[in-house]
Amino acid sequence: SAGCAVAASFLAQVKLLSNYRVCVLHMASSALAYIDTQLDGEGVRESVRRLIEQEMRSFRPARDYVAHLPLPELGLEGTHLLQSELMRMSDGQPMAPLDMTHLAIDPPAQGRENPSAWQQAIENAKSQIEHQVNRADNLALLQQHGPDAWRTHMDELKHSLLMINTQLDAVKSDTDLINRKRKYEQLEAARKLRALENDWLEAVHKNHAIEAAIERVRAEHEALQPALDQA
């Protein structure tokens, strides 16, 4: 019976160790991604998600985390244009359409007998003609130098793309190196943990075997003690 009690105690400790390891790995399911496999178990992922949501609900403040900060001092109160625009938005009024009348070449709508009105119309026509001349000059320059400019621009884009791809390849290489290092370290840690666990289990087994042997010797001694007393 003493041996059975020792064996039961040993099995209970082994079961306790196994439950402890499972709990620890569930709490840190992504700490050792290369050796932890409990996250793929039934119901484990949902349990982890519930724990994360429960922790997130305890955050304070929840959303408006800048509510305690004062509003910035912009110093734009004296700007008449800004004030009028803010008042318009506050009243819900639509934005005024752009004034395109200065782009049209029309005779004076009123005061056709007024020389100043005609002078203003002539100045507007000259401005529009100069604008069209400027557009024509730009088109001529584009026709003359546009292909070369675009080829230069494309070469710059290709150079930029080459630099970005080179940087991307370097980042990918560094990432792969880090992942390989993490995998090696985690696998090495797992090997050491398994070795330590086996050593612990072997030590526990030996201790219980010694305790069982002691119990047997004690039982034998107690059984022989009356005979020794009579002798």
Side-chain angles (χ1 to χ4, degrees):
S1 59
C4 292
V6 173
S9 176
F10 172 72
L11 293 177
Q13 292 191 26
V14 172
K15 183 178 181 181
L16 179 62
L17 174 65
S18 177
N19 293 336
Y20 172 76
R21 290 181 62 208
V22 171
C23 291
V24 170
L25 292 176
H26 282 185
M27 289 186 294
S29 57
S30 61
L32 301 174
Y34 293 99
I35 60 177
D36 291 344
T37 58
Q38 281 75 11
L39 188 62
D40 296 329
E42 182 179 359
V44 176
R45 190 177 297 273
E46 290 75 11
S47 177
V48 171
R49 180 179 55 81
R50 286 193 299 269
L51 290 175
I52 294 175
E53 292 178 352
Q54 181 180 358
E55 182 66 20
M56 291 179 65
R57 284 194 296 269
S58 66
F59 292 167
R60 294 293 182 273
R63 291 186 180 274
D64 193 3
Y65 55 90
V66 295
H68 63 286
L69 298 176
L71 292 177
E73 296 291 340
L74 300 179
L76 300 176
E77 294 79 1
T79 306
H80 175 71
L81 180 61
L82 180 60
Q83 287 183 356
S84 60
E85 185 66 15
L86 291 176
M87 290 298 297
R88 180 193 65 79
M89 295 176 62
S90 177
D91 296 337
Q93 299 295 327
M95 180 182 294
L98 295 176
D99 185 9
M100 307 294 290
T101 57
H102 66 285
L103 299 179
I105 304 178
D106 296 326
Q110 298 177 355
R112 290 178 178 269
E113 303 299 331
N114 187 355
S116 62
W118 280 102
Q119 184 65 32
Q120 184 177 0
I122 292 173
E123 294 295 333
N124 181 50
K126 290 181 178 180
S127 175
Q128 298 306 315
I129 292 173
E130 187 65 27
H131 176 64
Q132 295 300 325
V133 171
N134 187 31
R135 291 183 61 187
D137 292 339
N138 288 333
L139 290 175
L141 290 173
L142 178 62
Q143 185 176 5
Q144 181 179 359
H145 304 288
D148 293 336
W150 273 108
R151 279 192 288 269
T152 302
H153 179 62
M154 293 300 297
D155 291 338
E156 292 177 353
L157 290 179
K158 290 179 180 178
H159 180 68
S160 299
L161 179 61
L162 179 61
M163 291 181 59
I164 293 174
N165 287 332
T166 302
Q167 295 175 0
L168 178 61
D169 293 338
V171 172
K172 288 183 178 179
S173 177
D174 293 341
T175 303
D176 292 339
L177 180 62
I178 292 174
N179 288 333
R180 287 195 295 268
K181 183 179 179 181
R182 289 178 63 243
K183 183 177 181 180
Y184 171 77
E185 291 177 350
Q186 292 182 19
L187 294 177
E188 187 67 17
R191 184 187 64 79
K192 293 180 180 179
L193 288 174
R194 284 192 294 267
L196 292 173
E197 181 183 358
N198 292 333
D199 293 342
W200 181 85
L201 290 174
E202 184 178 357
V204 171
H205 179 72
K206 288 181 179 180
N207 289 336
H208 283 79
I210 292 173
E211 292 178 359
I214 292 174
E215 291 296 329
R216 288 195 300 271
V217 171
R218 182 180 292 109
E220 293 175 359
H221 179 269
E222 292 177 354
L224 294 176
Q225 187 63 38
L228 293 174
D229 294 339
Q230 292 178 1

